[in-house]
Amino acid sequence: FDAITKTEEKEGTVDLSEYKNIWVYAEQRKGKIMNVALELIGEGRRLSREISDEAKVCALIVGNNVEALAKECFEYGADSVYMIEDPLLENYTTDGYTKVIVDAVKEHKPEIVIYGATHIGRDLAPRVAARLNTGLTADCTRLDIKVSSYMDYAIKNTTLDVSTLDPNSDDKGLKQTRPAFGGNLMATIICPKTRPQMSTVRPGVMQKRERQAGATGELIKVKPAIAKSDIKIEILDIVKSAKEIVSLTDAEIICSGGRGLGDSSGFELIKKFADKVGGVVGSSRAAVDAGWIDHSHQVGQTGTTVKPKIYFACGISGAIQHLAGMQTSDIIVAINKDPDAPIFEVADYGIVGDLYKVIPQIIEQWDNA
Ligand code: FAD
């Protein structure tokens, strides 16, 4: 809040009425829109209804030869697509993408800009926010629109210099919720009196809309002012990680193993289980920390947030940091030998027993089910 107060002193109060619409950074890699961007377009639609009837949801696509991707954004709910294309933007570079996005935001003045909390989103959003002198809330798990009155600020934010606020104005602010203090509490954050309001949002948390085949909207081509000298790095090659790639966020069924497996060989059983039910292998952090499985499989606050149709938690106690990443799954099945394990509090189906006895029985019975 101090920073905001100083900004306002230096540059004058931001005229909020100039800023309109919700932008979603539609991250693409090699011509494919990331799933999280489609989720955020869905979330943007929900938020726009809370702002006003006129508020639009706009996807922002940056790249080269990416016009075909606009169709997908429209079909998932975007009213408009801002398209920034240039051969220099073929591959993601921090400098290049920051520059063209900052320029576009300055020109078109969106009220809210949201990004997926992917590696790229986490790299890009803070730089854009710093250049625009605005705030950013990272790693959000929930967004709402809140009418924040003068009194509201004055009561809750004792460090804010209230003389900078207009007591007669109501600011429809973005209320951003994210885990804090190791997931032990959920913090709600607002960025009063600055625009655009910006957040990164975890993949797998928001709801993608049903695809409306054939839906169209307004395509706005933005000519970027970018030169080779704006980009300080040169990408020679993009090499895929040699390790097994798991797509936890897209999986409909996840079979996760925890410390209750006893050792790394327990993941052979979990893999067999996942193969049988058509799922992918997840894990708790305890299993990752023990070196039994790669971090890319970790579900939870410091791993991936998932929302599959079925989540099997095998030998996982249900620590709050694990729950933070999977508790919105449609159906949770817990297998644990301790009947008092906290995982049973969120489970739809609980099996109390030794996973080494229970899982082979499920595998055996699955085809007859
Ligand atoms: P445990 O808590 O040890 O539970 C093992 C369970 O297995 C027990 O309930 C036991 O009854 C059961 N069991 C044992 N043997 C069997 C058997 N043969 N059959 C059936 N059940 C059996 N954790 C995450 O998972 N993801 C995160 O992203 C994450 N982020 C964190 C971030 C921070 C800042 C911190 C502080 C912690 C984080 N943690 C995270 C760690 C978290 O607090 C827990 O330590 C961790 O989730 C515990 O993993 P677990 O459930 O596998 O192990």
Side-chain angles (χ1 to χ4, degrees):
F1 290 109
D2 280 339
I4 289 159
T5 310
K6 278 178 197 136
T7 307
E8 287 180 347
E9 276 168 11
K10 203 170 64 189
E11 295 183 355
T13 305
V14 178
D15 180 0
L16 302 184
S17 65
E18 284 185 358
Y19 289 81
K20 296 197 166 51
N21 302 330
I22 298 175
W23 278 19
V24 172
Y25 175 60
E27 182 181 333
Q28 57 88 20
R29 290 191 204 169
K30 295 202 163 180
K32 192 176 176 317
I33 298 267
M34 302 292 286
N35 208 28
V36 63
L38 303 175
E39 292 166 5
L40 294 184
I41 291 173
E43 176 64 4
R45 281 228 76 81
R46 194 186 67 76
L47 293 173
S48 68
R49 281 197 296 271
E50 289 183 40
I51 297 177
S52 75
D53 291 344
E54 291 88 48
K56 286 187 190 162
V57 183
C58 311
L60 172 66
I61 307 179
V62 184
N64 188 32
N65 290 327
V66 283
E67 191 168 333
L69 304 181
K71 182 173 179 286
E72 200 176 351
C73 295
F74 292 135
E75 293 188 342
Y76 278 99
D79 297 302
S80 309
V81 170
Y82 285 84
M83 172 89 48
I84 310 180
E85 283 186 309
D86 193 281
L88 289 170
L89 302 169
E90 172 84 32
N91 291 313
Y92 173 76
T93 57
T94 310
D95 298 324
Y97 276 48
T98 301
K99 174 159 194 331
V100 298
I101 292 175
V102 166
D103 289 348
V105 167
K106 281 185 180 163
E107 189 182 340
H108 297 279
K109 295 192 170 31
E111 190 171 0
I112 292 169
V113 185
I114 43 182
Y115 308 73
T118 60
H119 292 299
I120 286 180
R122 285 174 171 159
D123 181 59
L124 183 61
R127 284 168 197 260
V128 173
R131 297 270 172 89
L132 293 168
N133 226 345
T134 190
L136 172 75
T137 305
D139 252 359
C140 295
T141 52
R142 189 179 162 158
L143 300 174
D144 296 285
I145 299 297
K146 175 176 162 42
V147 179
S148 307
S149 68
Y150 169 77
M151 280 310 289
D152 213 0
Y153 288 141
I155 291 164
K156 291 196 186 134
N157 305 306
T158 47
T159 56
L160 183 70
D161 177 1
V162 290
S163 65
T164 62
L165 298 175
D166 172 4
N168 299 316
S169 78
D170 268 346
D171 174 8
K172 276 195 173 181
L174 184 65
K175 190 172 120 191
Q176 303 153 108
T177 305
R178 55 152 297 158
F181 293 105
N184 288 317
L185 61 86
M186 300 304 279
T188 41
I189 296 169
I190 48 171
C191 299
K193 307 289 165 183
T194 65
R195 291 294 184 271
Q197 302 163 94
M198 302 220 312
S199 331
T200 61
V201 179
R202 289 185 180 198
V205 178
M206 303 303 181
Q207 200 70 39
K208 198 159 69 174
R209 289 205 340 153
E210 194 89 1
R211 189 171 188 159
Q212 308 283 327
T216 56
E218 186 188 14
L219 179 64
I220 302 155
K221 292 190 179 177
V222 180
K223 183 96 197 83
I226 181 122
K228 212 167 176 204
S229 55
D230 291 320
I231 302 172
K232 293 180 188 63
I233 61 157
E234 188 184 351
I235 296 183
L236 301 177
D237 196 6
I238 296 176
V239 183
K240 266 200 169 175
S241 162
K243 67 188 178 201
E244 193 195 349
I245 306 289
V246 271
S247 184
L248 287 169
T249 42
D250 294 333
E252 296 205 332
I253 300 180
I254 296 176
C255 303
S256 281
R259 196 175 353 233
L261 293 174
D263 59 41
S264 62
S265 65
F267 274 101
E268 287 164 23
L269 178 64
I270 299 292
K271 174 90 176 70
K272 207 169 151 198
F273 184 22
D275 288 346
K276 173 55 89 180
V277 302
V280 301
V281 174
S283 75
S284 71
R285 177 160 151 179
V288 173
D289 288 349
W292 300 345
I293 192 159
D294 186 76
H295 176 261
S296 58
H297 293 262
Q298 185 182 313
V299 171
Q301 186 196 317
T302 43
T304 305
T305 302
V306 298
K307 195 179 180 306
K309 290 196 171 137
I310 312 179
Y311 186 87
F312 288 96
C314 314
I316 293 177
S317 60
I320 188 163
Q321 296 88 355
H322 189 78
L323 301 187
M326 45 63 76
Q327 62 190 349
T328 59
S329 303
D330 291 353
I331 297 173
I332 298 171
V333 183
I335 305 166
N336 197 304
K337 66 180 186 186
D338 173 7
D340 297 323
I343 191 76
F344 288 125
E345 285 166 30
V346 297
D348 298 281
Y349 299 94
I351 304 171
V352 179
D354 182 345
L355 65 92
Y356 284 101
K357 292 194 180 127
V358 175
I359 295 175
Q361 285 181 48
I362 301 178
I363 293 174
E364 203 183 306
Q365 296 292 319
W366 189 263
D367 290 333
N368 306 328

